[in-house]
């Protein structure tokens, strides 16, 4: 099929654009031209492969926004995505609240100042594990049919969109602002006419953006007209929404296979049954973008996955190797549900979107940047991939994906090395993934590749178990390399030495064998530098001052033993229900004292290593944090506490025998509860 160019927004007097190392300089005098075709986004005539990271502004205190956005940018994110949760801003009909951490305009201003474009996901339905998927209770109380063309619903949506526009006005792309696109609704499976109604309302109000998006799953009953909304896709390593409490339930294993099919058959499986590997007709004419590539995973009460750094990295490389030209992570930055008159988390007891029981406050998501902006290991793992996408995206974007191996490899099948390649005939990249979550894949021996008429390496090699990497072929003077291309900065080419694989680099007729990583300051040949994995993940990362942790150590004392175990009930959607407020009257009660002073709390996390079912942290009787135990510690950002010296109360419900809950193998599920240790750790980079 020929590529059809869609010119969605063009302004004269444009300046050259680079999506990478330098961020956008937003000004009305230099608005980059945005186009797209069946392959990629095209910015000022240059193809790009952006990295989009999801952060929910209203799930973070406003004084943390700038730091969080900067950390995302330093992690290689080039586009910000955020939901606008309706019930965060109009909990009660007609009373909109854009103050404090709900101040969308201030968040957008920060994104503009930091040079990052924004994709707004404006609902009205978002999901995002929010109460009713973000739709206010009063919509249901009035008997209005949500997510429909019911005039009463569309009238309410128009009022919502008008309010959102007050926050966006003057900050749209055409105005030199950061708002590049918006998504309508989420995971909608009805008629495309509903999505078009939402777009018509938005444009009638004044939204005028380079492009619009929708989720490409599930299949629509009737399509939207071609070119109106780009469908975006996703995949996850595991899902809290599975009804099963077995370790490897569902079709998540398919996310670790290179395949031409774009969508997942595992997302929202508790709601969307028997998903088929089939696109809505016409969707293949759009570029292959994702908006929900699992940067981590939340834990529901009944299912609490432990996500590994390799999970997120493998997913990302597989998607890139399968032809995706925009990696959009959900989530990239975790958060905390905001203060409200009612709890804003999804549960089986609410009026709608009541599929799972989520924590009241915690939305950490095990994302690259957690609930308090703390980087997890995959923040660094993914970063090296993002550097590659920034510096070589224009070369990669037009390359077609080829699949020499089967794309229907079954769960745990160890008989194949999973690999693909993308090429334009002369140049290419080989994508390798010898990893599958919770499966012990073996070393693959005797491996050589033949791509772009290059057979390499010179002798067969072994691809170690757990290896995920990318090899270049005929790129930047490198005929081939068994090392991963990371970045090109100041005419210096950086590659990563892949652990367990002999590094062989062919430069014309010269072949460097068994090269050793000498670091970013000593080339192995001309302008080529070979880095360790650690050096690659931190290449060009700005230095951050280390926090000097106080000598003061928190103290914990137990005030009350746990009472009788609660009766764990099964909810309306056939999953175990989380405890309610009253259940914590029977919890074990601890007091945490000797906390740092206000002046000592910046970037300091309280870490609570414990064993139990659910833990809740209170200040002055108010719930400030909660945690569904999965073997990992509970964290809390102490800088969020009031300025004066405080003590905290910790309540823990004990584990019980034979709970209808999935716990990862790392969790100690011995019945009862205990606090093993409380300590202080640094939260910064």
């Amino acid at each position: 099929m020929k590529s059809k160019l869609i010119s969605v927004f063009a302004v004269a007097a444009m300046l050259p654009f680079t999506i990478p190392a330098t961020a956008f300089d937003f000004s009305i005098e230099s608005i980059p031209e945005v186009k797209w075709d069946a392959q990629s986004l095209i910015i000022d005539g240059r193809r790009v492969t952006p990295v989009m990271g999801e952060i929910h502004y209203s799930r973070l205190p406003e004084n943390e926004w700038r730091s969080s956005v900067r950390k995302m940018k330093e992690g290689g994110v080039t586009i910000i995505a955020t939901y606008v949760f309706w019930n965060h801003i109009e909990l009660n009909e007609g009373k909109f609240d854009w103050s404090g951490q709900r101040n969308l305009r201030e968040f957008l201003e920060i994104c503009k100042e930091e040079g990052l474009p924004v994709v707004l996901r404006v609902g009205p339905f978002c999901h995002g594990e929010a109460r009713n998927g973000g739709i206010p209770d009063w919509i249901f109380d009035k008997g209005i049919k949500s997510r429909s063309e019911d005039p009463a619903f569309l009238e309410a949506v128009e009022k919502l969109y008008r309010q959102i526009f007050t926050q966006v006005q003057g900050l749209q792309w055409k105005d030199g602002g950061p708002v590049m696109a918006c998504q309508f609704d989420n995971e909608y499976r009805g008629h495309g006419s509903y999505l078009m109604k939402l777009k018509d309302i938005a444009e009638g109000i004044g939204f005028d953006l380079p492009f619009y998006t929708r989720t490409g799953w599930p299949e629509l009953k009737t399509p939207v007209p071609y070119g109106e909304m780009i469908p975006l896709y996703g995949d996850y390593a595991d899902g809290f929404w599975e009804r099963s409490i077995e370790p490897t339930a569902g079709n998540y294993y398919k996310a670790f296979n290179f395949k031409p099919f774009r969508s997942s058959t595992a997302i929202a499986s508790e709601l969307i049954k028997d998903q088929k590997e089939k696109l809505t007709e016409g969707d293949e004419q759009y570029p292959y973008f994702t908006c929900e590539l699992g940067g981590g995973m939340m834990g529901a009460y009944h299912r609490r996955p432990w996500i590994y750094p390799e999970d997120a990295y493998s997913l990302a490389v597989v998607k890139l190797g399968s032809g995706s030209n925009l990696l959009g992570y959900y989530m990239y930055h975790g958060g905390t549900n905001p203060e409200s008159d009612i709890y804003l988390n999804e549960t089986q007891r609410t009026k709608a979107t009541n599929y799972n029981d989520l924590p009241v406050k915690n939305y950490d998501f095990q994302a690259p940047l957690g609930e308090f902006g703390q980087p997890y290991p995959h923040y660094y793992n993914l970063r090296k991939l993002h550097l590659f996408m920034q510096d070589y995206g224009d070369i990669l974007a037009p390359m077609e994906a080829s699949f020499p191996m089967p794309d229907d490899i079954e769960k745990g099948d160890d008989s194949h090395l999973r690999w693909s390649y993308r090429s334009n005939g002369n140049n290419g990249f080989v994508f390798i993934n010898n990893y599958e979550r919770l499966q012990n894949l073996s070393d693959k021996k005797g491996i050589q590749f033949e791509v772009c008429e290059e057979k390499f390496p010179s002798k067969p090699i072994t691809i170690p178990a757990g290896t995920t990497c990318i090899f270049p072929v005929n790129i930047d003077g490198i005929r081939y390399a068994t090392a991963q291309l990371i970045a090109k900065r100041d005419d210096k080419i950086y590659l990563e030495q892949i652990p367990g694989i002999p590094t062989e680099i062919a430069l014309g007729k010269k072949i460097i064998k068994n090269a050793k990583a000498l670091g970013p300051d000593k080339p192995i040949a001309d302008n080529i530098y070979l880095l360790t994995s650690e050096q690659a993940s931190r290449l060009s990362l700005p230095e951050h001052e280390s926090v000097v942790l106080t000598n003061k150590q928190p103290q914990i004392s137990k005030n009350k033993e746990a009472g009788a175990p609660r009766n764990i009930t099964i909810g309306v959607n056939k999953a175990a229900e989380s405890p309610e407020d009253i259940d914590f009257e029977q919890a074990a009660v601890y007091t945490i004292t000797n906390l740092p002073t206000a002046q000592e709390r910046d970037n300091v996390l309280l870490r609570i290593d414990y064993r139990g079912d659910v833990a809740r942290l209170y200040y002055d009787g108010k719930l400030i944090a909660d945690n569904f135990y999965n073997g990992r510690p509970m964290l809390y950002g102490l800088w969020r506490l009031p300025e004066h010296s405080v003590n905290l109360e910790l309540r823990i419900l004990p584990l019980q025998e034979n709970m209808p809950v999935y716990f990862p193998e790392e969790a100690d599920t011995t019945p009862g509860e205990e606090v093993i240790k409380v300590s202080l750790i640094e939260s910064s980079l």
Side-chain angles (χ1 to χ4, degrees), residues 426-533:
N426 299 315
N427 322 91
F429 296 96
V430 173
F431 297 80
I432 300 163
N433 181 48
N434 196 20
Y435 174 84
E436 183 184 330
R437 173 176 166 80
L438 296 179
Q439 304 297 321
N440 296 316
L441 301 187
S442 64
D443 295 351
K444 302 301 184 295
K445 300 178 181 180
I447 301 298
Q448 283 181 302
F449 303 97
E450 192 162 353
V451 173
C452 300
E453 299 184 353
E454 288 285 352
K455 187 174 183 178
F456 72 97
S458 55
K459 293 182 179 179
I461 58 173
T462 296
I463 304 296
T467 296
T468 302
C469 61
I470 307 170
F471 293 157
V473 182
N474 294 327
I475 303 292
D476 252 346
I478 300 173
R479 189 154 56 87
Y480 66 80
T482 57
Q484 181 159 326
L485 198 56
I486 299 298
K488 184 177 183 179
R489 305 287 163 96
D490 300 323
D491 290 324
K492 297 177 180 178
I493 298 172
Y494 298 94
L495 297 104
E496 174 194 3
Q497 185 165 49
I498 306 301
I501 295 180
T503 299
E504 184 171 300
I505 302 174
L507 303 171
K509 294 183 179 180
K510 178 183 178 183
I511 299 178
I512 304 172
K513 297 184 178 182
N514 297 312
K516 303 299 180 185
L518 301 178
D521 300 319
K522 188 174 181 181
I524 61 169
D526 295 331
N527 62 335
I528 295 182
Y529 297 76
L530 188 60
L531 312 178
T532 66
S533 297

Side-chain angles (χ1 to χ4, degrees), residues 262-414:
R262 298 181 179 189
S263 197
S264 168
T265 58
I267 298 179
S269 58
E270 85 281 34
L271 170 65
I272 308 165
K273 307 297 183 185
D274 300 320
Q275 299 180 67
K276 306 298 182 184
E277 293 191 341
K278 177 185 176 185
L279 292 178
T280 300
E281 186 177 353
D283 283 4
E284 73 284 350
Q285 300 177 60
Y286 292 95
Y288 182 5
F289 294 165
T290 70
C291 61
E292 290 200 18
L293 190 61
M297 179 51 57
M298 269 306 292
Y301 182 76
H302 75 281
R303 186 171 180 83
R304 312 179 189 186
W306 179 307
I307 299 298
Y308 307 102
E310 297 83 1
D311 292 338
Y313 190 70
S314 175
L315 285 181
V317 170
V318 166
K319 274 289 176 286
L320 208 59
S322 297
S324 180
N325 279 332
L326 185 155
L327 297 185
Y329 296 98
Y330 190 100
M331 297 288 293
Y332 190 86
H333 194 308
T336 308
N337 286 327
E339 291 296 315
S340 175
D341 293 340
I342 58 174
Y343 290 156
L344 292 172
N345 58 314
E346 174 184 334
T347 76
Q348 294 176 84
R349 303 180 182 97
T350 49
K351 299 177 186 294
T353 318
N354 50 1
Y355 313 118
N356 307 278
D357 285 38
L358 276 293
V360 171
K361 304 294 289 183
N362 172 16
Y363 199 67
D364 179 84
F365 216 87
Q366 302 176 68
L369 292 169
E371 180 179 7
F372 304 101
Q374 73 277 17
Y376 289 122
H378 49 307
Y379 173 87
Y380 301 101
N381 286 6
L382 291 167
R383 186 177 179 276
K384 62 190 179 186
L385 182 64
H386 301 163
L387 295 178
F388 163 71
M389 292 171 64
Q390 289 172 7
D391 291 4
Y392 289 93
D394 56 336
I395 297 173
L396 177 68
M399 290 181 173
E400 296 292 329
S402 297
F403 305 92
M405 304 306 295
D407 58 38
D408 58 351
I409 298 172
E410 291 298 320
K411 184 191 299 182
D413 184 345
D414 198 27

Side-chain angles (χ1 to χ4, degrees), residues 608-621:
I608 303 170
D609 290 89
Y610 80 102
R611 174 176 57 87
D613 181 14
V614 179
R616 284 188 173 186
L617 194 64
Y618 299 83
Y619 162 68
D620 199 20

Side-chain angles (χ1 to χ4, degrees), residues 112 137 182 206 350 424 506 523 661:
K112 176 180 178 179
D137 285 47
C182 76
T350 49
N424 58 15
V661 171

